[in-house]
Each structure stands twice: as structure tokens, then as C-alpha cells.
Amino acid sequence: MERLPMMREYEHEYADFLYYTPRELDKEGSIWPVRAGRSIAKPNYSVGPKRIECYSLHFVEEGKVCVEFDGSRAQLQQGDLFCLFPGRTYNYRMLPADATLQMRWIALDGDRVRPLLERAGLKPEMPVMTDRYTGTVKQSVEQLIHALAEAQKWTQSRSLRLYSLVYALFAGLIPDSPVPHTAKPVAWIRECMDFMELHATEGITVQQVADFAGVHRSYFSGVFTAQVGISPVKYILNIRMEKAQRLLRETDATITEIALSLGYPSLYTFTRAFKNCFNVSPLAVRKRNDRSASTGR
């Protein structure tokens, strides 16, 4: 791995700066690094007020830092991070601590940056995150900084490697758990109904639909019932039964085939569900349909 350059001394810190100039291939991906580096603060370390034109993620390696933004402030320590958003005024300074403030930073640009930051939970009104600069995130930061050190001469392969490392960083920052749906209830319930209509015959459960919506099952069931007028269990059942009736009347598929095609584990469970819904067995419906067809009615 390429060795990082030696840090240079500046008025408030010791630091190294790595710069990257994006080419057409970088911009096609709508996200690319601009610069990165490391710093060790001097006792008088203070930055700002300042504004930047890109997005700059700062990761606290050691020590403590106070970040001021929009009349608010946050005190961060080892394992925390903050983001500078374009066109916003920031100040940040070192706080007294047992260890000297040390940070890593990566500046990014492109149309994809802000949506990914928001998915991670970083917004201009709340640009800080605690206890996330650990594990895979820390590893991704180090790999990205080292890759930038190697990218002084641009090549297509280096561009693509940087692109993959930027996404690896966001993969670590964005939580795995579903983000609660932010649309109005009518809108996201409609999306759930579309999901159920598409997958009802695959044996989906209400829990799977709630997971799709990104909300707790009990909350989903309550809102769905209030909006639609029936429970989600009943809604899934109705979709299956409507398709069952159509298959019984319009195809020559056996009842067992229909049962398995609708996501039921056996002929027995399908027949029981059908009789509970229509007070008649699927076999009776099939025979009735056959008689009608033979008499021309």
C-alpha cells in the first residue's frame, strides 16, 4: 500500500492534503472525491467561520472537538463524525481532553452525495453522528485515503476503485434497519397494497409487508385497516381468493395446482380457506362451472 505523505506544519495544525481532479468517468457516476487528509491539532486549533462548496466528512480519531452550526453546537469525541454541507457557515475548535485532537477527512461532490448523506442521517440541520466512526466505516476511510494517495496520476481503473470505495463508505454509514416511511399514510399504504397485489400468491406475511413499509407490524396493521377498511390479512386473502375463482372458472388447472400456485402449502389449507370465504368448496365451484360449460350456459 502507498505510504501517505509526511504531515506539514500549518498555523493551527499538522496536516497532509490529498487532492483529486474528477474526469468524465468520475462525473458519470454522480459522486466523486475532491480531497482528503489527516490532521493533528495544535493547542490553538480553531477553524472558521468558513463555508465550502462541496461535502466534507470529518472523522474524529482522538481528542475532542466542538462543532458550531446554525446557532447550535455539538461536542464530539473519538469515534464521532461531522459533515460540512455546501454553502453553510461552520466553526469548529479543539476542546480540552486527555488526547490531542486528530481527525481524518474526505470531501465529496456530485448529485448523489446529499441523498446518500440523508439516508445515513446527516442533514444540514443535524450534521453530526456519534459512535459511527468504527469498524467497517473506519476501514473504508483509511482505504479511501490511501487510494487517493495513489491516484495522483488519473487512470480509469483508479477512478472506478475510488468510486467503489466511496460507496463502501456509505454502505457502512447507512443503517441496515429499514428507515420509516416519510410519505403521507395514504401514499405509503397505496404502495403496500401494490406490493401485496404483486406478491400475495407467493405466501407473503403481514410482517413482510410491514418490513417493506419500514414500520412496526402493529402500527402498519392499524393504519392499513383504518385506511382500507379491512385488515391486511383479509386483504391478502381476498387477492388470493379472487385469483382462485378466476383460475377455477377460466383454466383447466387442477385444484392442487391452483392451491400451490396461490402460495398455499397444501390442498387442504387452500380448500379450508376457500370454504371459509365462500361457504362452498373449490371442487364444487369447478363442477358447477363444468356443468355450465356443457349446457352452454
Side-chain angles (χ1 to χ4, degrees):
M1 181 177 288
E2 179 97 0
R3 292 186 62 184
L4 293 174
M6 294 291 293
M7 290 189 180
R8 296 178 58 184
E9 183 175 1
Y10 297 89
E11 182 179 0
H12 300 293
E13 63 185 344
Y14 297 91
D16 58 45
F17 294 85
L18 301 168
Y19 298 99
Y20 185 74
T21 302
R23 308 292 178 88
E24 183 177 353
L25 181 61
D26 300 285
K27 294 183 178 181
E28 287 176 359
S30 298
I31 186 170
W32 58 86
V34 175
R35 57 184 175 270
R38 307 170 297 161
S39 68
I40 300 176
K42 289 183 176 181
N44 61 342
Y45 182 83
S46 179
V47 177
K50 67 178 293 187
R51 296 188 178 194
I52 63 173
E53 297 180 350
C54 56
Y55 302 85
S56 188
L57 285 161
H58 292 246
F59 306 88
V60 184
E61 286 277 337
E62 294 186 17
K64 294 183 179 181
V65 61
C66 177
V67 183
E68 298 178 358
F69 53 94
D70 292 344
S72 301
R73 65 178 58 185
Q75 296 187 12
L76 306 179
Q77 59 186 0
Q78 183 181 29
D80 299 341
L81 63 97
F82 62 95
C83 180
L84 308 183
F85 282 76
R88 314 283 290 210
T89 301
Y90 298 92
N91 295 271
Y92 50 97
R93 54 186 170 81
M94 184 173 67
L95 294 174
D98 294 336
T100 300
L101 177 63
Q102 296 188 39
M103 293 192 292
R104 304 283 189 270
W105 72 87
I106 297 171
L108 303 167
D109 205 355
D111 293 338
R112 289 288 296 148
V113 183
R114 182 155 182 165
L116 289 173
L117 288 171
E118 290 180 352
R119 286 179 178 270
L122 290 165
K123 300 179 180 180
E125 62 270 20
M126 185 48 66
V128 302
M129 185 178 289
T130 59
D131 297 323
R132 293 303 299 276
Y133 180 49
T134 59
T136 58
V137 172
K138 190 168 186 176
Q139 183 180 14
S140 295
V141 170
E142 289 300 318
Q143 289 177 339
L144 188 48
I145 289 176
H146 278 279
L148 280 168
E150 299 172 358
Q152 299 305 306
K153 183 177 180 181
W154 188 91
T155 65
Q156 292 185 94
S157 61
R158 286 174 177 168
S159 169
L160 293 173
R161 173 164 168 73
L162 289 172
Y163 184 77
S164 68
L165 289 173
V166 168
Y167 270 95
L169 171 60
F170 278 107
L173 290 174
I174 296 173
D176 287 331
S177 56
V179 177
H181 215 298
T182 57
K184 294 181 179 180
V186 171
W188 67 266
I189 288 295
R190 180 66 257 178
E191 291 177 6
C192 291
M193 293 168 71
D194 292 341
F195 178 85
M196 295 157 84
E197 289 166 6
L198 181 62
H199 300 293
T201 58
E202 299 166 17
I204 60 170
T205 64
V206 175
Q207 182 62 61
Q208 287 174 298
V209 186
D211 290 342
F212 166 77
V215 298
H216 193 275
R217 173 177 171 159
S218 61
Y219 174 77
F220 165 69
S221 296
V223 175
F224 186 94
T225 303
Q227 293 282 336
V228 182
I230 60 173
S231 70
V233 171
K234 181 67 174 175
Y235 190 82
I236 293 173
L237 176 65
N238 287 350
I239 295 171
R240 286 176 167 179
M241 291 299 103
E242 288 173 7
K243 291 187 177 184
Q245 285 187 308
R246 187 171 68 252
L247 291 170
L248 286 166
R249 292 169 178 165
E250 300 176 5
T251 75
D252 61 356
T254 67
I255 297 175
T256 298
E257 286 178 312
I258 293 172
L260 299 178
S261 298
L262 293 175
Y264 287 94
S266 67
L267 173 62
Y268 172 74
T269 54
F270 166 64
T271 300
R272 184 177 61 179
F274 193 94
K275 288 181 70 175
N276 288 339
C277 186
F278 299 113
N279 293 318
V280 64
S281 70
L283 181 60
V285 172
R286 171 59 59 82
K287 288 181 177 179
R288 185 187 305 158
N289 187 64
D290 290 342
R291 284 196 301 269
S292 298
S294 65
T295 60
R297 287 187 287 174

